[in-house]
Amino acid sequence: ILEKIFAYFGDKDPSKISILQIEMNQDDILFRWTNESVPVRVCPKQDILAMYNRMKNQAGNTVAPGLVSIFQNDFRVNDVELAFKGLCKDRPINNKEGVAKLPPSGFDNSMPQIINPVDKLNVMAGELLQYQVPEDLCSDPENGKTRYLDLSLLTKQRLEVTSDNWLQFDKKNQEFYGVPLEGDVGREAYQLVC
C-alpha cells in the first residue's frame, strides 16, 4: 500500500511517508498516513489540500480514477477523507477553494512568528529535564510575546505528544519536563508550536 501511495504522489523520498494507523475488518481497511515532505514550521494547508484533491474527482464527491486504478488488484478504494493534524488542526479554512479569507473586521490573524527557536536540548538518561521556553521564542502581532501565547508540543509527524512519552510540556508554565530512561536514548525531534 505504502509503495503505491508513494508512486501515486511521485514523492522522491519514501521515508517522508509515515503510517499512522492500519485497521482491518471483514469489509473495510482503514489506512491513515502523513506526508512529511510538506513544510513543518508552518501549517502547509494549501499543499495538503492539493494532495487531497489529487485523491478526489473534479467534483470532489468520489475517489479519483487514478487512485482507484493503482489499487484495483488489491482492493477497491471507496472513500478518501482528510483530517488536519498538528499545526493545521485548529486553523480551519472557511471556503471550498481552500483560500483563507480575512474576517469581516479586516484584521489578519496570522500565525505567530518564531524569533528565537529552541534548537537542541541535551539530556542524560535518568536525569530530570526541566526547561522553560524563552520569553522571546515567538511573537504575535495581536497577542504579543511567548508568555501570552498558547504553546503546544508535537511530534515530528505533527501529532500531539502522548501522555506516556518521557518528554512532556506544561502549557501553563511553558516548560519542558521529563526523565528519559535507557530505552529513550538517542536523538528525537519535536515541534513546539506557538
Side-chain angles (χ1 to χ4, degrees), residues 109-169:
N109 187 18
S110 57
M111 293 174 60
Q113 297 297 308
I114 303 292
I115 296 171
N116 185 20
V118 176
D119 184 34
K120 180 170 67 169
L121 298 174
N122 293 319
V123 187
M124 300 293 287
E127 290 185 11
L128 172 66
L129 166 68
Q130 195 168 7
Y131 177 83
Q132 187 172 37
V133 172
E135 165 103 26
D136 64 346
L137 171 80
C138 48
S139 180
D140 181 75
E142 180 182 17
N143 297 319
K145 293 216 177 213
T146 307
R147 297 294 176 252
Y148 301 104
L149 300 175
D150 183 28
L151 306 182
S152 298
L153 182 65
L154 304 176
T155 66
K156 65 182 178 181
Q157 290 85 16
R158 294 185 221 98
L159 301 173
E160 291 184 21
V161 172
T162 59
S163 60
D164 61 345
N165 192 307
W166 77 267
L167 181 64
Q168 296 295 310
F169 186 71

Side-chain angles (χ1 to χ4, degrees), residues 4-154:
K4 290 183 178 182
I5 290 171
F6 169 72
Y8 183 72
F9 286 106
D11 287 322
K12 294 176 177 52
D13 184 0
S15 69
K16 296 292 186 183
I17 296 178
S18 297
I19 298 169
L20 301 176
Q21 177 184 11
I22 298 176
E23 278 184 28
M24 296 169 54
N25 63 35
Q26 286 180 314
D27 300 321
D28 298 312
I29 298 173
L30 171 66
F31 185 79
R32 292 181 51 222
W33 78 92
T34 185
N35 187 326
E36 298 173 24
S37 64
V38 295
V40 295
R41 294 188 82 173
V42 297
C43 172
K45 194 161 269 190
Q46 300 303 327
D47 295 336
I48 294 169
L49 286 170
M51 284 187 255
Y52 175 70
N53 290 335
R54 286 196 60 205
M55 295 185 286
K56 293 294 233 180
N57 72 350
Q58 294 287 7
N61 56 2
T62 61
V63 179
L67 187 63
V68 171
S69 71
I70 65 166
F71 291 111
Q72 69 186 1
N73 295 330
D74 304 301
F75 51 83
R76 188 176 67 144
V77 180
N78 292 327
D79 195 15
V80 176
E81 294 180 5
L82 172 63
F84 290 108
K85 300 284 184 189
L87 290 172
C88 297
K89 184 176 180 182
D90 298 320
R91 302 186 188 283
I93 287 181
N94 299 324
N95 57 55
K96 287 172 70 174
E97 297 83 30
V99 178
K101 292 186 177 177
L102 289 176
S105 68
F107 180 75
D108 178 12
N109 187 18
S110 57
M111 293 174 60
Q113 297 297 308
I114 303 292
I115 296 171
N116 185 20
V118 176
D119 184 34
K120 180 170 67 169
L121 298 174
N122 293 319
V123 187
M124 300 293 287
E127 290 185 11
L128 172 66
L129 166 68
Q130 195 168 7
Y131 177 83
Q132 187 172 37
V133 172
E135 165 103 26
D136 64 346
L137 171 80
C138 48
S139 180
D140 181 75
E142 180 182 17
N143 297 319
K145 293 216 177 213
T146 307
R147 297 294 176 252
Y148 301 104
L149 300 175
D150 183 28
L151 306 182
S152 298
L153 182 65
L154 304 176

